[in-house]
Amino acid sequence: MREIRHSRRGLIKGALASLGGLGLAGCDGGADNPIVQKLFALEEMLTFRTQSALLGPDALAKEYTEADISTFFKPNGSKDPQDESYKALAADGFKDYKLVVDGLVERPAQYSLAELRAMPSRTQITRHDCVEGWSCIGKWSGVRLSHVLDAVGVKPAARYVVFHCADTPGEAAFGEDAPDHFYGSIDFQAARHDQTILAYDFNGAPLGIPHGAPLRVRVERQLGYKMSKYIMRIELVESFAHIGGGHGGYWEDNGYTWYAGV
């Protein structure tokens, strides 16, 4: 099965590589070229249909051993948010951090890191695949997103989980027309997957700022740009109409595909 996925991704990567001078920068840049957008659309169709037909919605991404953990794990996207509120939280060790969960939920809630750590946790050693073409293996611990969703109660109209983050796309990793803060989303099939966690630990220690402290999502069957970092608020929505440019995420509003399976 993995050979099938690699072959497919190799085909797309080869096509992207042939575009050379287009300057596709993966997690660190946009992809507004129409040729690139068509290739991304092709990949989205292939990954979604392949995963749905051959793997099933509950299949797990491969998990590795401690010996497989990468000696260096490259941070993706933003690495040092400059939002003043975030910097104040970071300076105090995120002691006053609260994760807001609202939108189409029965019981809007706010959770401290201590409260999140008191919830049932999952630890997994998985491979992070970046759209740029690199991969790293790391160990992540956190609470399953499905547990948090069950705690607040999901209203029937909810279709997507949106992550509102602290990193400011005005930073060098983003473009000049970026919004105030990063945002991303996944559907409920991905949100309730057993390996989809709100991670607060990385390789046995509290998550560092370059990797998304104090909380990031891990969606192991999708590419790295779907794993929002610096999560401040989770909003359950019926549509993306009021979210950024309406495509479900910052990168998606800049031409990336919404479903980015691996």
Side-chain angles (χ1 to χ4, degrees):
M1 192 62 66
R2 183 163 295 282
E3 291 180 356
I4 294 174
R5 298 205 299 272
H6 281 181
S7 176
R8 170 176 47 75
R9 288 202 58 74
L11 174 66
I12 299 300
K13 286 177 179 177
L16 290 172
S18 71
L19 296 174
L22 292 176
L24 179 64
C27 297
D28 295 330
D32 55 359
N33 186 289
I35 299 175
V36 175
Q37 291 184 8
K38 288 181 179 178
L39 287 170
F40 277 146
L42 172 62
E43 181 180 18
E44 180 170 58
M45 177 187 70
L46 288 171
T47 55
F48 181 77
R49 291 186 177 179
T50 299
Q51 283 192 350
S52 298
L54 301 181
L55 302 179
D58 301 322
L60 300 179
K62 181 178 179 179
E63 297 194 18
Y64 297 80
T65 70
E66 297 268 354
D68 298 315
I69 293 175
S70 302
T71 54
F72 173 72
F73 198 109
K74 181 179 179 179
N76 67 306
S78 180
K79 303 173 184 64
D80 187 18
Q82 294 301 302
D83 176 84
E84 292 300 327
S85 298
Y86 176 85
K87 290 170 67 176
L89 288 171
D92 204 22
F94 300 106
K95 184 177 64 177
D96 296 324
Y97 170 82
K98 292 280 189 179
L99 171 66
V100 175
V101 187
D102 61 7
L104 296 174
V105 302
E106 301 290 348
R107 300 172 293 279
Q110 296 186 23
Y111 297 107
S112 68
L113 280 177
E115 290 171 323
L116 292 170
R117 286 180 175 275
M119 296 177 182
S121 66
R122 188 184 204 281
T123 295
Q124 56 205 32
I125 300 175
T126 52
R127 191 183 67 196
H128 179 108
D129 293 307
C130 181
V131 70
E132 294 175 315
W134 55 265
S135 297
C136 292
I137 294 175
K139 182 167 74 174
W140 308 90
S141 297
V143 55
R144 287 184 177 87
L145 178 54
S146 61
H147 180 89
V148 175
L149 296 179
D150 290 341
V152 298
V154 178
K155 290 187 176 180
R159 296 181 60 199
Y160 306 103
V161 179
V162 177
F163 305 102
H164 297 277
C165 306
D167 42 339
T168 54
E171 299 160 24
F174 299 89
E176 294 180 355
D177 298 326
D180 290 339
H181 292 94
F182 185 86
Y183 50 93
S185 67
I186 57 177
D187 63 12
F188 275 90
Q189 178 175 302
R192 291 194 173 281
H193 188 270
D194 197 48
Q195 292 171 315
T196 299
I197 63 173
L198 297 173
Y200 42 67
D201 281 349
F202 172 60
N203 286 347
L207 199 61
I209 289 177
H211 291 294
L215 200 69
R216 70 175 298 171
V217 65
R218 294 293 309 176
V219 193
E220 306 296 358
R221 292 179 55 184
Q222 294 181 257
L223 288 174
Y225 72 83
K226 296 297 295 185
M227 305 190 203
S228 300
K229 307 196 296 186
Y230 318 110
I231 297 173
M232 305 301 290
R233 177 187 173 209
I234 292 176
E235 179 187 13
L236 274 60
V237 303
E238 184 174 10
S239 80
F240 300 139
H242 67 292
I243 308 295
H247 297 94
Y250 172 75
W251 291 118
E252 291 86 338
D253 286 340
N254 284 275
Y256 282 53
T257 57
W258 178 74
Y259 187 83
V262 291

